[in-house]
Amino acid sequence: MEQRIGSSSQPLEGAGFDPAFIPGLNSPVAEGSEDAKPGTEPGVTKAEADPEATAETAPDAAEAEAAGEEAAGEEDGAPDGPVFEASDRRARIVADRKGVRLSLDEEACEFRWDEIGAVETESPRFGKRYTVTVHTPDRRWYPIEIEAPARSRFTEWDEQLDAVLDAYFEE
């Protein structure tokens, strides 16, 4: 017979216990966990631990990323289609052949066209805030408001976004 000391229940995770919990994101690695690499001290970045290795790999990573973008453009063979971009001092939305990208301050999210159920736009009767809402098939929606320099931009933005949706979005 085995005897155990302490509680046998595991700590609960989720939004009810951690307000910063977001499903799908990995939790941060604890300082004493098995995932931490041996020989590194907690709080010391790789660049601080070995600056020569980081300096050697940084140009290679930038070159590889640039080559990857060029290769992606060459694989398509077709010229770039319509692109919709709107931004203000805090928010930005970009819709192109890759999908829709929303960003607000330092937060950003990206949706591929196969992840999008619908895209909705709304312009207020008064004011200059243009709202774009991305709906996903699992009943979630992600709105973003862009402050337009003038109300006349609403029709221009609607036309540009419609052109992108007609080109890439499959119903």
Side-chain angles (χ1 to χ4, degrees):
M1 174 145 215
E2 266 186 48
Q3 290 185 344
R4 295 184 184 175
I5 299 174
S7 174
S8 63
S9 65
Q10 297 294 326
L12 297 174
E13 292 182 3
F17 298 96
D18 181 9
F21 178 78
I22 300 173
L25 292 180
N26 295 336
S27 60
V29 178
E31 292 179 13
S33 73
E34 300 164 359
D35 294 339
K37 296 189 179 195
T40 60
E41 298 177 25
V44 177
T45 63
K46 184 177 179 181
E48 293 171 346
D50 191 5
E52 293 176 5
T54 307
E56 293 173 4
T57 59
D60 295 335
E63 291 172 7
E65 183 178 329
E69 289 176 3
E70 291 173 4
E74 293 172 1
E75 288 174 1
D76 295 339
D80 289 336
V83 175
F84 169 72
E85 287 189 48
S87 63
D88 64 6
R89 59 187 170 82
R90 294 185 60 204
R92 180 177 180 172
I93 179 171
V94 178
D96 58 10
R97 64 183 172 83
K98 295 178 183 177
V100 178
R101 290 177 298 285
L102 307 174
S103 60
L104 179 65
D105 296 331
E106 273 77 45
E107 301 298 322
C109 59
E110 181 173 348
F111 302 96
R112 296 184 320 265
W113 288 112
D114 61 341
E115 297 175 323
I116 298 174
V119 176
E120 176 185 14
T121 62
E122 182 182 350
S123 52
R125 187 170 179 183
F126 303 105
K128 296 189 292 185
R129 290 201 172 267
Y130 183 74
T131 304
V132 177
T133 305
V134 176
H135 296 270
T136 60
D138 59 348
R139 294 184 174 176
R140 294 184 187 267
W141 61 92
Y142 302 88
I144 190 163
E145 290 184 338
I146 309 277
E147 188 170 340
R151 290 187 48 84
S152 62
R153 295 294 303 260
F154 292 161
T155 56
E156 179 184 334
W157 284 348
D158 275 334
E159 291 170 2
Q160 290 176 356
L161 185 58
D162 284 342
V164 171
L165 293 174
D166 289 342
Y168 304 116
F169 187 64
E170 298 176 9
E171 293 187 46

